C-alpha cells in the first residue's frame, strides 16, 4: 500500500564502495527521474533507516537509490 512516510527501512542493500556515514545527509531517489530529495542515513537494530527531510510517497518493494552529490553510493529495497 502506497503511503506518505517520513522514514523507511532498507533491505537487500548494496553500497559502492563503502557504507554511508551515519547521520550524514544524502540525496535519495525513489522513482526513476525523480528530483533527488534530502535524507539522513541512520542505523537501527543493524538495519539501515532513511529519514527523509520531507515525507515521501513510497510503497514497500520500491528501490531507494542514494547519492552523495552526483555520485551514486548505492541503495536498497524499501520494506
Amino acid at each position: 500500500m502506497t503511503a506518505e512516510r517520513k522514514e523507511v527501512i532498507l533491505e537487500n542493500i548494496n553500497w559502492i564502495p563503502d557504507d554511508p556515514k551515519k547521520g550524514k545527509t544524502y540525496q535519495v531517489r525513489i522513482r526513476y527521474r525523480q528530483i533527488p530529495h534530502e535524507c539522513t542515513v541512520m542505523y537501527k537494530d543493524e538495519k539501515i533507516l532513511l529519514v527523509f527531510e520531507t515525507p515521501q510517497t513510497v510503497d514497500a518493494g520500491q528501490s531507494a537509490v542514494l547519492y552523495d552529490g552526483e555520485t551514486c553510493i548505492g541503495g536498497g529495497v524499501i520494506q
Side-chain angles (χ1 to χ4, degrees):
M1 173 181 250
T2 303
E4 193 168 89
R5 296 164 58 182
K6 179 76 175 167
E7 57 186 43
V8 295
I9 293 176
L10 295 183
E11 59 185 0
N12 300 327
I13 304 162
N14 291 298
W15 300 121
I16 310 164
D18 299 315
D19 292 356
K21 293 179 176 50
K22 176 184 173 185
K24 182 176 176 182
T25 300
Y26 294 97
Q27 297 74 46
V28 63
R29 283 188 182 174
I30 308 284
R31 286 167 203 77
Y32 179 70
R33 293 191 181 178
Q34 176 188 38
I35 295 170
H37 293 278
E38 300 287 314
C39 72
T40 303
V41 175
M42 305 298 287
Y43 293 87
K44 180 180 180 179
D45 301 326
E46 299 183 19
K47 295 184 180 183
I48 299 293
L49 178 70
L50 297 184
V51 180
F52 302 122
E53 185 79 19
T54 57
Q56 299 295 307
T57 303
V58 297
D59 199 3
Q62 285 182 291
S63 293
V65 180
L66 283 111
Y67 296 85
D68 189 1
E70 296 291 318
T71 303
C72 178
I73 63 166
V77 178
I78 296 171
Q79 285 188 333

